[in-house]
Amino acid sequence: MDFYSIFKFLHVLTAIAWVGGGLTLFAHSIMGVRAKGDAELLKTLDMMNFLGKTWFVPTSMLTLVFGAITTTLGGLWLELWVIIGLAGFASTFLTGLLLIEPTGRRIGEFLQAGQVDKGIAVGKDLIRIGKFDYVVMLVVVADMVLKPSFADLWVLAIFAVAIAAGAYFFLFGGKLQQAAIT
């Protein structure tokens, strides 16, 4: 066994912990909110806040570090799929830093001020942002498995359509279509 294989294993293991943990949390939130309503949404948001700092940030950083070591050992820095993976990581990192973290703080402020309805409304927005973030993550997972090159235009097109559809449905919530009708 060589160092490349060891670090590739560690990269995949931490990616499973990061992405799989988030998917499990999202599945729980969707099912819990459907079954128990807005009170469950607040519990889920509290758990997301806790896990964001204690689980998702560390596992995402380890995924990046082990991936960078693997990429260096394999001489893969110029491969398109590596560049796409790094762009996806940057996207999810910036989404967390610029959207998820500040929105979570706003929810906390609303709840501390006794404005539960506003906290719930912003919480639903946060869940939509998180859904889009996971569309990007799943595209990155597909990218890591399929390893497309510039010759694989159909794969790249599917990635682009998935991200555009995720943005439309989760970030804009079909508002573009409603605006075009009115």
Side-chain angles (χ1 to χ4, degrees), residues 91 127-136 163 166-167 170-171:
S91 170
I127 295 292
R128 288 187 310 104
I129 293 167
K131 287 178 181 178
F132 173 73
D133 193 43
Y134 268 86
V135 169
V136 173
I163 289 172
F170 298 130
L171 296 181

Side-chain angles (χ1 to χ4, degrees), residues 10-56:
L10 292 171
H11 172 67
V12 171
L13 181 66
T14 54
I16 290 168
W18 174 30
V19 178
L23 285 174
T24 302
L25 186 58
F26 267 120
H28 167 78
S29 71
I30 291 167
M31 290 182 238
V33 170
R34 285 183 183 161
K36 299 178 184 174
D38 290 340
E40 187 65 26
L41 174 66
L42 294 176
K43 288 180 189 175
T44 299
L45 292 171
D46 189 45
M47 180 58 69
M48 284 180 176
N49 183 47
F50 172 74
L51 288 174
K53 295 171 183 129
T54 60
W55 183 259
F56 296 118

